[in-house]
Amino acid sequence: MRSWCNAIAATLVLALTSVPAFAVDSKEHRVSIQIDQNDPEVMNLVLNNANNIMEQYKYRGETAQIEIVAYGPGLHMLRADTSPVKDRIKQAIDTSFPSTIKFSACNNTKQGMEKREGKAISIVSESELVPSGAVRLIELQEQGWQYLRP
């Protein structure tokens, strides 16, 4: 009977220590990713980076907070009328659990585009306006977030 209990205990210890999702000291990572180019390849690279980060940490039993900050020509990523990656943005949010992903749109850039184009611009519903994309990146770094520029 005793050897049977030892075998069960050994099996449980082996199972729990070999599965990455059961990490004892799980850590949350925070990374900001900038997009400042109106280039679908770069936009897709940003989304690929975010997805890869979330998947790697999920495998390790850890989580990530990711904030993608769009400014300058990169705001097209989050424009409702010009974004070539609208579907991928929604998909990234829908599949992010247990991590989180957030999209921030620069209001300075939005106002400049509206002035140049002579019309109001809408951003995708999955994003939120921040006063300045550059300042948002600075503030996140000051709060200890890592910074990535693809």
Side-chain angles (χ1 to χ4, degrees), residues 22 36 38-39 74 92 102 107 110 124 136-137 140 150:
F22 290 101
D36 63 354
N38 184 12
D39 181 342
K102 178 180 176 180
N107 195 40
K110 180 180 176 287
V124 295
R136 181 66 184 154
L137 288 167
L140 290 171

Side-chain angles (χ1 to χ4, degrees), residues 30 65 67 136-146:
R30 300 176 302 166
Q65 288 182 46
E67 185 166 337
R136 181 66 184 154
L137 288 167
I138 291 167
E139 291 171 346
L140 290 171
Q141 288 178 69
E142 289 173 345
Q143 295 169 22
W145 286 57
Q146 302 304 309

Side-chain angles (χ1 to χ4, degrees), residues 58-130:
K58 183 178 184 178
Y59 175 78
R60 292 183 184 180
E62 299 172 357
T63 59
Q65 288 182 46
I66 298 172
E67 185 166 337
I68 295 173
V69 181
Y71 65 93
L75 186 64
H76 285 281
M77 179 179 188
L78 301 180
R79 280 184 59 162
D81 61 340
T82 61
S83 176
V85 293
K86 280 189 272 196
D87 293 338
R88 286 204 65 201
I89 290 169
K90 182 173 177 9
Q91 180 185 26
I93 292 169
D94 291 346
T95 60
S96 64
F97 185 81
S99 292
T100 59
I101 188 166
K102 178 180 176 180
F103 295 86
S104 295
C106 176
N107 195 40
N108 285 338
T109 300
K110 180 180 176 287
Q111 289 175 348
M113 287 180 172
E114 289 174 336
K115 187 175 182 180
R116 279 189 304 280
E117 296 177 26
K119 65 177 183 176
I121 292 173
S122 296
I123 59 171
V124 295
S125 62
E126 295 84 5
S127 64
E128 69 176 51
L129 280 176
V130 294

Side-chain angles (χ1 to χ4, degrees), residues 30-46:
R30 300 176 302 166
V31 62
S32 60
I33 306 174
Q34 83 169 43
I35 176 70
D36 63 354
Q37 298 175 54
N38 184 12
D39 181 342
E41 286 185 25
V42 177
M43 294 174 190
N44 277 296
L45 179 59
V46 165

